[in-house]
Amino acid sequence: METKDEGKAEKAFKSFGKRVDEFMVEFNEASEKLRKEFEVKLDELKVSAENFRKEAENKDRWKEVEDNLKKAGDELGNAFKAAFKKKNP
């Protein structure tokens, strides 16, 4: 009777071992797929970050240009006011 029980236990452990092996294969395939997806997303984020950085630099540069043009316009306005200001006798 013990040999029959031992045979059943061995079959159960063998079946369990096969299922664990199958699980590990599926797990490795899934992890490889996720790793590839992660790399693709990471590359996309790097490109987006670079584009954002370039846009930010351009906005800063144009903000500086806008500020300088405003200053130049103010100075030009002051020059015209000074040139055409009425003198009090």
Side-chain angles (χ1 to χ4, degrees), residues 15-16 24-25 32 44 71:
S15 176
F16 177 74
M24 290 304 296
V25 169
E32 182 65 23
E44 289 174 1
K71 287 178 188 174

Side-chain angles (χ1 to χ4, degrees), residues 4-40:
K4 285 186 180 181
D5 289 336
E6 286 179 14
K8 287 181 185 178
E10 287 175 3
K11 285 181 184 178
F13 280 115
K14 188 175 183 178
S15 176
F16 177 74
K18 284 182 182 180
R19 288 184 183 161
V20 169
D21 289 343
E22 290 171 1
F23 172 77
M24 290 304 296
V25 169
E26 289 177 16
F27 179 77
N28 288 335
E29 289 173 357
S31 66
E32 182 65 23
K33 181 180 176 186
L34 288 173
R35 185 185 63 78
K36 287 179 183 177
E37 288 178 12
F38 175 76
E39 287 177 356
V40 168

Side-chain angles (χ1 to χ4, degrees), residues 11-85:
K11 285 181 184 178
F13 280 115
K14 188 175 183 178
S15 176
F16 177 74
K18 284 182 182 180
R19 288 184 183 161
V20 169
D21 289 343
E22 290 171 1
F23 172 77
M24 290 304 296
V25 169
E26 289 177 16
F27 179 77
N28 288 335
E29 289 173 357
S31 66
E32 182 65 23
K33 181 180 176 186
L34 288 173
R35 185 185 63 78
K36 287 179 183 177
E37 288 178 12
F38 175 76
E39 287 177 356
V40 168
K41 292 293 182 185
L42 184 61
D43 290 340
E44 289 174 1
L45 286 173
K46 286 179 182 178
V47 169
S48 294
E50 182 63 24
N51 290 340
F52 182 75
R53 185 186 65 76
K54 286 178 182 178
E55 284 182 26
E57 285 178 355
N58 287 338
K59 286 181 182 177
D60 289 343
R61 184 178 59 122
W62 286 111
K63 178 68 176 152
E64 183 180 345
V65 169
E66 180 183 348
D67 291 344
N68 287 332
L69 287 174
K70 185 174 179 353
K71 287 178 188 174
D74 291 343
E75 289 296 318
L76 186 60
N78 291 338
F80 275 106
K81 286 178 187 175
F84 297 105
K85 180 169 63 168

